[in-house]
Amino acid sequence: MFKTIWISVVVSFLFLNLSHSFAQTTLEYKVNKGESYDYDMSAIINQTFTQMGQEMKIDMKLTSDLNLSVTNVAKNITLEMVYRKSMLSMSGMETMGVADTTMDASEQLAFKQEYVFTKSGEMVSHKVIEDPKVVLDDQTKMMKQQLTSQLKQSTDFIILKYPSKNLKVGDSWKTTDTIEVSGIKTLRNFTHTYVSTKSLNGINLAELNSKSTSISINGTVNQMGMEMDVRGGMNVEGTSLVNSMTGMLVSLDMNVTSDLTMSMSSPMEMTIPIELKMITTIKKK
């Protein structure tokens, strides 16, 4: 009798696990005009520059509130993203005349990003909407340019590109995109994997892993009146939790490593290798 009950329990357990593994879901964005989503964001950015045999390390930590507003759903989805209550801690910039400090970074991040995308997350357009009232000096402009470029690698993953097919745990899909910020073009190739299903406060979540297969960076930036060519590569890996019903991000943990070279020929020839490491955490409030 006990043996029969034990076999029945084992069979039931195996059946439940098989049913779970074959359960399918379709991920897509189901949002309404006027909806708003708030997130806490934290980014730790470590950079190492080598110039004329001298190594300089700059460490930054940025914290900010992210607000996402759905402004249109007529054909595609239009989402506006703004940074609020942004604070930036910096160290290692003494040689540039900047002491270790913690500062309000509202000026550097005083702009909107407008994303237009399909229900599957395929990007139709992206643009940065500047605040015309904010006038920046050269040093603040350079800081803004750097932060905008680095943060976009992470904030882009608030909008993931989903496949049109039904998904079950273990399925993977590939995406390719190109982003351009401040004259720097980045070609990105990723593999995404549906890792598991979870439940939080009664909400069904999909856990996704995103890992770059190749990322190339090239372009020209103007810093302090000097034009510099930028070339290099990047590795990105992130884990996302998304709401299975709406497709919207619940949390993101992302690691970025990059090796870049900045070079210029005028007014003097110079090549600066740069190593970048960035850890970003985004969580829905």
Side-chain angles (χ1 to χ4, degrees), residues 1-11:
M1 178 69 175
F2 178 79
K3 184 176 180 181
T4 301
I5 294 173
W6 175 248
I7 291 173
S8 177
V9 169
V10 170
V11 170

Side-chain angles (χ1 to χ4, degrees), residues 98-115:
V98 180
D100 294 356
T101 185
T102 297
M103 57 180 283
D104 186 331
S106 298
E107 283 191 340
Q108 286 86 345
L109 299 176
F111 57 86
K112 293 180 181 179
Q113 293 193 70
E114 182 188 83
Y115 295 90

Side-chain angles (χ1 to χ4, degrees), residues 25-29 39 157-162 167 173 193-194 196-200 203-210 239-252 284:
T25 186
T26 300
L27 293 176
E28 63 178 12
Y29 290 96
Y39 298 85
F157 277 82
I158 288 178
I159 305 162
L160 287 161
K161 185 178 179 181
Y162 300 129
L167 293 171
W173 67 99
T193 303
Y194 184 6
S196 69
T197 57
K198 297 177 181 292
S199 180
L200 178 65
I203 299 172
N204 291 328
L205 307 175
E207 180 184 7
L208 310 176
N209 176 264
S210 301
T239 298
S240 307
L241 288 176
V242 301
N243 186 319
S244 299
M245 292 298 295
T246 66
M248 290 298 295
L249 184 79
V250 174
S251 69
L252 169 67
K284 189 175 183 298

Side-chain angles (χ1 to χ4, degrees), residues 45-60:
I45 305 167
N46 305 120
Q47 300 170 93
T48 303
F49 300 79
T50 304
Q51 185 176 358
M52 300 179 67
Q54 299 294 315
E55 190 175 85
M56 180 173 66
K57 293 184 178 180
I58 299 176
D59 297 325
M60 300 181 181

Side-chain angles (χ1 to χ4, degrees), residues 172-233:
S172 295
W173 67 99
K174 299 181 184 296
T175 61
T176 298
D177 64 14
T178 301
I179 62 174
E180 188 168 355
V181 180
S182 303
I184 302 298
K185 185 177 290 187
T186 304
L187 176 61
R188 309 186 303 181
N189 295 280
F190 280 90
T191 296
H192 310 274
T193 303
Y194 184 6
V195 177
S196 69
T197 57
K198 297 177 181 292
S199 180
L200 178 65
N201 299 326
I203 299 172
N204 291 328
L205 307 175
E207 180 184 7
L208 310 176
N209 176 264
S210 301
K211 189 172 183 179
S212 61
T213 53
S214 68
I215 299 180
S216 62
I217 303 168
N218 68 83
T220 303
V221 296
N222 189 305
Q223 293 193 347
M224 308 295 284
M226 297 179 293
E227 282 200 347
M228 292 191 174
D229 289 328
V230 180
R231 299 286 183 274

